[in-house]
Amino acid sequence: MKRILALKDYKSVFGSKKFNFPYRSGMDKEKLVHYFKEAGYTLEYKFFNEIDFRSKQYKDLHIIYTSSEDVGYHYKSYIEDIIYGLEQMGANVMPAYTHLRANNNKVFMEFMRDYLGYTNNLKSNAFGCLKDLKMHLNNIQYPVVFKTSEGAVGRGVKLVNSEKELIATVKKTTPRNYFMDLWDHARSIRHKGYIKESVYRKKFIIQEFIPDLKNDWKILFYGQKLYIFKRPIQKGRDIRASGGGTVNYKYGLQAEAPEGILDFALDIYRKMNVPHASIDIAYDGKAFYLIEYQSLYFGTSALVNSEGYFIKKYQKWEFIEGKVALEKAYVDGVVEYLEKKEVKRKEAISYS
């Protein structure tokens, strides 16, 4: 059997799952073993801290892994180091390191969106500190959407209507180290010509505002399976549809999906080149907009609450009724990804 290594965190958690038990315990690891075995793969688990970079055993090995949403994202930073190191050694990490970097990192997500050409109709700018922003204030047209780089379920997202409000928002969302600020001020007194560091240093995004939106759609891909739900923007939540509560969402055939949105999402998913994806899309009646995306450790309520999924057959979308276990859908996504990769590898050899 072909081998896959799964990396779990220090709590022995792998992935995210809605309504799991115990609470926040991730996917059922035994079910993953079972479904991978059915597909012809042996699944082995290791903790991140068990990876030995002196070993050469990871080259060409298929590796899946969890991410983390720990406070401050300190453990996620550790995971990034491990996955980047494995990728440099020649391991086939799924998804690739760049997608882990973009996980709950909206600044890097925007860079990837622009570089890979996922969409080009929603403009944004990323800044590393308040002084960066002040260089571009004359070019900003209000209102704009302010986003902190980190945060999920709508946290750190705000509609900003003026320059004064934008500067105040940056200051409010940036923690300060007053001791280091005082120390840096002393440097400016001691050293003539020294330029003080920006007091407000925390990366953020300014994104173009799409007016009159009443909802958005979240679409999940597990290989060929597409799950969709509609999220309304509720009163008191400003412009945020995310985090409004799953009881307010409409799933599957009830999602009122506008014509073309499934193809729009599929095009993005194919460009991402990952086994799984979560894609947030807005529609203003004329055009679709990619708001955000993730390829690991995202919410699973669309799969859990939907009575079925969409799949594209013969250029048409078909809705398949029936529940699919999250672990089964996850495994199917990985296996389909590996099979496509193997086909491409063989085609490259035959043409060389």
Side-chain angles (χ1 to χ4, degrees):
M1 277 191 172
K2 292 162 283 190
R3 180 183 174 216
I4 294 179
L5 177 64
L7 299 181
K8 55 186 180 178
D9 68 15
Y10 61 93
K11 296 188 293 183
S12 199
V13 171
F14 182 88
S16 59
K17 182 179 181 178
K18 189 78 172 177
F19 305 128
N20 54 5
F21 182 83
Y23 177 63
R24 300 191 75 175
S25 58
M27 287 188 247
D28 187 316
K29 295 189 291 295
E30 291 305 314
K31 285 185 178 179
L32 290 174
V33 170
H34 169 72
Y35 290 126
F36 270 118
K37 185 176 181 180
E38 283 190 338
Y41 290 85
T42 298
L43 185 65
E44 173 190 346
Y45 289 100
K46 279 185 180 293
F47 290 101
F48 283 104
N49 60 63
E50 292 180 308
I51 295 298
D52 179 9
F53 281 99
R54 298 180 183 86
S55 171
K56 306 298 182 183
Q57 63 178 306
Y58 306 112
K59 181 175 173 56
D60 297 323
L61 179 62
H62 301 316
I63 298 177
I64 55 178
Y65 58 94
T66 190
S67 186
S68 174
E69 291 182 350
D70 61 310
V71 177
Y73 294 92
H74 304 300
Y75 197 76
K76 179 181 181 282
S77 177
Y78 171 68
I79 293 173
E80 286 185 13
D81 292 341
I82 297 290
I83 296 303
Y84 183 69
L86 288 168
E87 190 171 82
Q88 292 300 299
M89 293 178 69
N92 177 31
V93 295
M94 299 175 285
Y97 166 76
T98 51
H99 292 281
L100 171 62
R101 180 72 180 171
N103 179 233
N104 285 313
N105 181 347
K106 295 183 177 69
V107 165
F108 191 72
M109 185 190 301
E110 292 298 307
F111 295 159
M112 279 191 67
R113 188 233 304 265
D114 291 342
Y115 173 69
L116 297 174
Y118 292 162
T119 62
N120 58 9
N121 62 348
L122 187 61
K123 297 179 182 178
S124 65
N125 294 99
F127 303 99
C129 65
L130 180 57
K131 286 189 175 181
D132 276 345
L133 172 66
K134 287 183 174 180
M135 298 180 193
H136 297 267
L137 287 174
N138 292 335
N139 301 321
I140 298 176
Q141 295 183 345
Y142 299 91
V144 293
V145 178
F146 172 88
K147 294 183 179 182
T148 56
S149 185
E150 300 170 346
V153 295
R155 290 190 295 268
V157 179
K158 176 179 171 53
L159 182 65
V160 175
N161 294 288
S162 68
E163 179 180 304
K164 181 179 179 181
E165 185 182 358
L166 177 58
I167 292 174
T169 299
V170 173
K171 290 180 177 180
K172 184 178 180 180
T173 55
T174 306
R176 289 186 59 178
N177 185 323
Y178 289 96
F179 175 79
M180 294 306 299
D181 293 343
L182 184 62
W183 189 272
D184 196 50
H185 180 70
R187 289 194 189 104
S188 68
I189 297 173
R190 185 181 304 172
H191 303 285
K192 185 178 179 180
Y194 172 74
I195 300 175
K196 290 192 292 184
E197 294 190 20
S198 177
V199 171
Y200 303 98
R201 300 184 306 279
K202 188 175 182 181
K203 59 187 179 181
F204 58 91
I205 294 163
I206 304 299
Q207 192 175 75
E208 181 183 1
F209 172 61
I210 309 169
D212 302 323
L213 292 181
K214 294 179 174 56
N215 61 269
D216 70 8
W217 286 267
K218 180 177 281 292
I219 293 176
L220 305 188
F221 280 98
Y222 292 89
Q224 298 181 57
K225 299 180 181 69
L226 182 156
Y227 294 85
I228 183 172
F229 65 95
K230 180 181 180 181
R231 305 185 297 188
I233 299 174
Q234 298 178 55
K235 186 177 180 180
R237 289 191 56 79
D238 197 19
I239 57 172
R240 297 169 297 168
S242 177
T246 57
V247 295
N248 300 302
Y249 302 156
K250 295 181 179 180
Y251 300 88
L253 292 175
Q254 283 70 50
E256 301 170 345
E259 184 177 353
I261 192 172
L262 303 187
D263 285 321
F264 180 79
L266 180 61
D267 181 61
I268 295 168
Y269 176 58
R270 286 172 173 169
K271 289 177 180 176
M272 290 175 69
N273 189 29
V274 292
H276 320 98
S278 169
I279 303 172
D280 297 352
I281 297 173
Y283 180 59
D284 63 1
K286 297 179 181 178
F288 296 108
Y289 301 87
L290 171 62
I291 304 300
E292 293 180 7
Y293 62 91
Q294 301 288 351
S295 59
L296 76 163
Y297 210 77
F298 48 77
T300 61
S301 62
L303 184 148
V304 174
N305 291 301
S306 180
E307 294 302 319
Y309 57 88
F310 288 92
I311 189 168
K312 193 166 189 180
K313 294 182 178 180
Y314 308 110
Q315 304 304 311
K316 291 184 179 181
W317 288 99
E318 180 181 345
F319 187 76
I320 308 297
E321 292 187 358
K323 295 280 188 178
V324 178
L326 171 62
E327 290 81 4
K328 170 63 174 171
Y330 178 88
V331 169
D332 288 346
V334 172
V335 172
E336 288 176 23
Y337 175 81
L338 289 174
E339 288 176 349
K340 289 179 181 178
K341 190 169 185 177
E342 181 62 18
V343 169
K344 291 180 179 179
R345 186 189 70 83
K346 291 179 178 180
E347 287 177 347
I349 293 173
S350 65
Y351 286 115
S352 62

